[in-house]
Amino acid sequence: MNKVSDILSFFLKELKGCYTENEIRSMFYISIEHILNYSKSDTIISSNVELKEDLKISFIEIVERLLKREPIQYIMMETTFYGLSFFSRRGVLIPRSETEELVDWIIKDNESSEKRYLDIGTGSACIIVSLAKNLQGSFYGIDVSPNALREAKQNIIRNNVDVILDKVDILISDLSGNWDIIVSNPPYVLESEKKYMKKNVLNWEPEIALFVEDSDPLIFYRIIAEQATKVLNKNGILYFEINESFGQKTIDMLDKKGFVNIELKKDINDKDRMVKAIWK
Ligand SMILES: C[S@@+](CC[C@H](N)C(=O)[O-])C[C@H]1O[C@@H](n2cnc3c(N)ncnc32)[C@H](O)[C@@H]1O
């Protein structure tokens, strides 16, 4: 590996068998942007540029970590979400594209007035930071994980928004305050679904952010909805990201609690992924 043009062949050769060609190309472009600050077109234009020794070592190290299935976002220590830049380190869930769709729904619904927003299980703060960047109002995020809260704080500073954070275990604490919008993307992967998951998620991302017991898959949704009935303002809205298998069960649960105008929305992959419900 001597020139910029050699890096892609190095990635393709070393990572073949571990990832698809599309995944390798995408990880190559992320790496090249991170290490050399090159866009895709810079990479083509600079294909004959000689690589210095320390840069070669950086690319070799990235490939070694990818071979261990470490997510590229953790290797780069950053990711993009809803057009914004976020720190992304082990111990905190990597923001997902499905969640961008949820954020987009909330933003389009709430552009017209100032509101009070609460994000439960804020993680990296990708949801609440994106809302704060695009909407008027006041913004709060809570999480039980000290790792998440540390990273959330750094992401709030990185994106220059006002978001207040608090350490709260939603399963045992009562919410206070009055909110116009409550949003949550809580843990929703069943323990029994572990066997279908890729190693880059299973071995690297935090269990606390992902899994719920098979015996009570809606635990977070039920508890959050119950608490929301006490702290949502009239016409307040509850938004959830959900496990694709539990759309109807989530609707039934919200209906029983007295929420109205309940909507289920599919993600770009045609999976039931988001729910919205209004508190009258
Ligand atoms: C699926 S992740 C979502 C993270 C982020 N909101 C996102 O969309 O990328 C779920 C989050 O809920 C948090 N969490 C898990 N159990 C919790 C609890 N009992 N109380 C509060 N937060 C909890 C996890 O630490 C994690 O950050």
Side-chain angles (χ1 to χ4, degrees):
M1 190 171 42
N2 295 314
K3 291 187 282 181
V4 167
S5 59
D6 299 332
I7 308 170
L8 178 58
S9 352
F10 174 69
F11 268 57
L12 287 168
K13 179 168 158 273
E14 295 297 321
L15 297 171
K16 196 178 168 193
C18 239
Y19 301 94
T20 65
E21 186 172 333
N22 278 346
E23 286 170 334
I24 299 172
R25 283 180 188 278
S26 145
M27 292 185 298
F28 159 74
Y29 282 114
I30 292 172
S31 308
I32 210 141
E33 192 185 346
H34 186 81
I35 304 279
L36 300 175
N37 204 15
Y38 281 180
S39 65
K40 270 192 188 180
S41 42
D42 293 336
T43 310
I44 297 162
I45 296 162
S46 313
S47 62
N48 279 326
V49 171
E50 292 284 330
L51 278 176
K52 289 197 191 122
E53 206 52 37
D54 58 329
L55 294 178
K56 279 187 207 171
I57 291 169
S58 300
F59 287 108
I60 292 168
E61 280 172 0
I62 290 172
V63 165
E64 280 170 359
R65 291 172 72 174
L66 288 171
L67 283 169
K68 292 184 190 145
R69 306 281 182 161
E70 184 171 352
I72 187 80
Q73 295 89 341
Y74 287 163
I75 301 174
M76 302 295 124
M77 293 196 295
E78 62 180 3
T79 191
T80 303
F81 180 89
Y82 210 72
L84 302 169
S85 189
F86 289 84
F87 292 108
S88 184
R89 285 167 291 216
R90 198 169 185 189
V92 184
L93 192 90
I94 299 166
R96 302 296 206 269
S97 56
E98 301 89 280
T99 312
E100 292 182 297
E101 295 185 53
L102 175 70
V103 164
D104 196 55
W105 196 14
I106 303 173
I107 290 174
K108 293 203 168 116
D109 275 355
N110 296 285
E111 273 166 338
S112 57
S113 58
E114 265 190 38
K115 291 184 176 164
R116 285 173 52 77
Y117 293 83
L118 173 65
D119 175 22
I120 300 176
T122 199
S124 61
C126 60
I127 296 177
I128 199 75
V129 164
S130 306
L131 298 181
K133 205 75 188 167
N134 288 282
L135 293 168
Q136 299 297 315
S138 36
F139 302 89
Y140 296 76
I142 59 175
D143 205 293
V144 73
S145 152
N147 284 335
L149 289 166
R150 209 172 303 122
E151 186 145 292
K153 188 170 177 199
Q154 291 177 356
N155 282 326
I156 289 162
I157 296 168
R158 182 170 185 158
N159 287 286
N160 195 22
V161 285
D162 276 331
V163 176
I164 294 173
L165 294 172
D166 203 358
K167 184 170 186 295
V168 175
D169 182 342
I170 192 66
L171 298 181
I172 57 170
S173 314
D174 285 335
L175 288 177
S176 56
N178 57 302
W179 307 98
D180 300 305
I181 308 290
I182 294 179
V183 50
S184 187
N185 172 20
Y188 62 65
V189 183
L190 301 184
E191 290 282 345
S192 60
E193 290 175 321
K194 271 187 180 170
K195 54 180 177 283
Y196 308 113
M197 290 174 78
K198 288 188 173 172
K199 281 193 192 139
N200 57 333
V201 178
L202 202 52
N203 295 348
W204 291 91
E205 295 204 75
E207 294 226 339
I208 192 177
L210 290 167
F211 297 109
V212 281
E213 308 257 334
D214 285 44
S215 56
D216 195 1
L218 292 190
I219 181 167
F220 282 94
Y221 297 88
R222 199 178 57 249
I223 289 176
I224 291 170
E226 182 58 35
Q227 296 221 34
T229 63
K230 297 180 185 121
V231 295
L232 266 179
N233 292 331
K234 190 168 158 42
N235 294 321
I237 314 177
L238 178 59
Y239 292 91
F240 281 134
E241 183 173 319
I242 60 160
N243 182 320
E244 67 206 56
S245 311
F246 294 105
Q248 193 54 50
K249 285 211 166 96
T250 310
I251 291 177
D252 295 345
M253 179 275 292
L254 289 166
D255 180 54
K256 262 197 210 141
K257 293 206 184 291
F259 285 86
V260 296
N261 300 358
I262 304 167
E263 277 180 57
L264 175 64
K265 200 168 172 174
K266 289 186 188 298
D267 64 20
I268 198 171
N269 298 313
D270 211 29
K271 307 251 166 80
D272 287 346
R273 187 63 64 203
M274 293 153 267
V275 172
K276 164 183 168 184
I278 299 190
W279 184 245
K280 281 283 176 197

